Amino acid sequence: MRSYQPDLTPPWKRSAPVPEVPAEPDLVVEEVASGFCGAVIRCEKTAQGPTVTLEDRFGKHRVFPMEPRGFLLEGKVVTLVRPAPGGPVRPARTASGSVAVPGARARVARAGRIYVEGRHDAELVERVWGDDLRIEGVVVEYLEGIDDLPAIVGEFGPGPDARLGVLVDHLVAGSKESRIAARVSDPHVLVVGHPYIDVWEAVKPSSVGIGAWPVVPRGQDWKTGVCRALGWPENTGAAWQHILSKVHSYKDLEPQLLGRVEELIDFVTAVPD
């Protein structure tokens, strides 16, 4: 008969137990050693032991061994384990990847705003971040162009409790948009942008079912040129509805847009000093 062997390790040297958390799809964790943060894509059995694949906000995948105390969940150390078949369903997530808040009511609109260039930009932001924006009380409005941006900012009257964020298309060095943006210097205004000629390009080609967005010769209407190159009817409104219908979450968008929208939301909702 095997005799009882007491644990003689001093209490101060013992590792405190940590929770075991099933690695359900879409669970967002951080791997302790590397700091890589992402959502669970899948778990697999390997010769070296179980592994978990994480996808970060930019679509990059990394595989990690499911070692004890190997991950952080909401800042706390946990041990990931393979989910049991038919186990509990993880909380649903919004299209932006945030944890959904069932039954949450929209917050009263803040004084701060996010301005985007056009209606398509506004519809895309609503598609992916709409739930988050309603909870935060952030209103998104479109400007139909930014040629008069300095005057628009002045009319808005930004301040510590009314911050303004502006998302600009084609904000690259030397562009007309960059010159206009440079004329806005108010500390309560943040102007950021993506490199795409139009927000259509911020949707991943693979999500739309095309190999790449076509190059449209200068001097042509870009959206019409895209429709021609792809063999679509030259109805840009219908084309946009087709593109928008293919966007289901942040995973369908390019990182250059994702980061900028998140930056604007953080800026507008920041607590004044």
Side-chain angles (χ1 to χ4, degrees), residues 195-231:
Y196 307 111
I197 295 173
D198 190 274
V199 77
W200 288 20
E201 279 191 297
V203 180
K204 291 180 178 178
S206 57
S207 297
V208 185
I210 59 177
W213 288 104
V215 176
V216 178
R218 296 187 68 174
Q220 290 188 23
D221 177 74
W222 188 85
K223 293 175 181 176
T224 302
V226 166
C227 292
R228 288 173 183 164
L230 295 176

Side-chain angles (χ1 to χ4, degrees), residues 25-130:
D26 290 334
L27 176 72
V28 177
V29 295
E30 178 182 340
E31 201 271 332
V32 170
S34 66
F36 186 90
C37 182
V40 172
I41 299 300
R42 60 181 171 273
C43 298
E44 297 177 295
K45 291 182 179 179
T46 71
Q48 291 74 36
T51 63
V52 61
T53 300
L54 303 182
E55 179 184 65
D56 71 6
R57 62 187 294 176
F58 303 111
K60 182 179 180 181
H61 289 194
R62 286 188 62 178
V63 180
F64 297 100
M66 296 171 69
E67 296 180 343
R69 308 175 67 89
F71 298 87
L72 297 176
L73 175 61
E74 298 180 349
K76 298 180 180 179
V77 178
V78 299
T79 296
L80 289 187
V81 296
R82 289 174 59 84
V89 177
R90 291 290 308 170
R93 294 189 174 273
T94 67
S96 71
S98 302
V99 175
V101 183
R105 294 184 178 181
R107 176 175 173 166
V108 175
R110 296 173 182 265
R113 291 287 188 274
I114 291 176
Y115 286 166
V116 298
E117 283 206 47
R119 181 169 59 85
H120 293 181
D121 306 69
E123 290 176 346
L124 188 60
V125 170
E126 164 63 26
R127 184 83 167 195
V128 175
W129 289 274

